Amino acid sequence: MIRVLVVDDDKVVAEAHRQYVERVAGFTVAGVVHTGADALRFCEREPVDVVLLDFYLPDTHGLTVCRALRAGGLAVDVIAVTSARDLAVVRTAVSVGVVQYLLKPFTFASLRDKLEGYARFRERAEGAGEVSGQADVDGLLAALRPAGQAPLPKGMSAPTLEAITEVLAEAPPDGLSAAAAASLTGVSRVTARRYLEYLADNGMALRRPTYGQVGRPEVRFYPVTH
């Protein structure tokens, strides 16, 4: 089993990531922590193969954690799971040994693809000796790339999903309703609700009922920002 340490300052998000990892065959969660310092301490005292690492931590940046792991001689790989989209951060992540970079919010399928790619990479990289040629090196590195993108459910389109995701990211503090999403994107309320439910079902949005004076509660959706 590949042992994973989940690191995220948001306890709800960390628990969601823990459940995601446990659903992938061949992986087990070694622990869940919420700060960079706790992540380093855990890796020093417990066997960990890969860290699922958020970059925006309350005590330090995830890149600092990566550097500390390398400086401490800890043979631990890192998969970044972060909302950091700055190209400088991505370049630095590669330079400090991050093997996979997954932008939040993401679906279970996206994380599963990253983990399965990492598992293929480990399997092909096991053992000692030398590669026979460039093809072996290319194959080893290609193992980190997902085999293919998981298709959307029938009747859903990537452009509409992107539009709904963008307006959700700008949702006000009290969340986004399906009616508001429909108005902002130009789709019907039913269509907006379907896409919002899809995002919530795949861990890319939070779904909360709002109870008013009369009638059924209105469901509002919130971006996963941490």
Side-chain angles (χ1 to χ4, degrees), residues 68-146:
L69 288 170
R70 298 296 168 256
L74 297 171
V76 179
D77 291 317
V78 174
I79 296 176
V81 284
T82 175
S83 56
R85 297 171 181 265
D86 190 322
L87 282 175
V89 173
V90 177
R91 288 195 299 268
T92 304
V94 173
S95 72
V96 296
V98 171
V99 296
Q100 300 273 24
Y101 198 103
L102 186 58
L103 283 173
K104 293 180 176 179
F106 54 83
T107 64
F108 164 69
S110 297
L111 178 59
R112 181 194 60 210
D113 286 345
K114 296 295 185 188
L115 292 176
E116 290 178 345
Y118 174 72
R120 290 193 298 271
F121 171 78
R122 280 178 59 95
E123 183 179 6
R124 298 185 70 161
E126 282 181 352
E130 297 182 351
V131 295
S132 60
Q134 185 63 46
D136 285 347
V137 175
D138 292 342
L140 179 62
L141 297 178
L144 287 169
R145 296 194 291 269

Side-chain angles (χ1 to χ4, degrees), residues 7-9 53-58 60-66 78-84 89-90 92-94 96 98 100-101 104 226:
V7 185
D8 200 294
D9 68 311
L53 180 65
D54 181 29
F55 275 3
Y56 297 126
L57 299 170
T60 188
H61 195 279
L63 291 174
T64 304
V65 175
C66 294
V78 174
I79 296 176
V81 284
T82 175
S83 56
V89 173
V90 177
T92 304
V94 173
V96 296
V98 171
Q100 300 273 24
Y101 198 103
K104 293 180 176 179
H226 297 284

Side-chain angles (χ1 to χ4, degrees), residues 170-211:
E170 302 298 325
D174 61 343
L176 183 74
S177 67
S183 175
L184 290 167
T185 57
V187 301
S188 71
R189 183 181 179 280
V190 172
T191 297
R193 176 65 179 264
R194 184 185 180 199
Y195 280 84
L196 288 167
E197 292 286 358
Y198 172 83
L199 292 172
D201 290 342
N202 286 278
M204 300 167 68
L206 300 175
R207 177 174 41 207
R208 295 175 188 153
T210 300
Y211 295 91

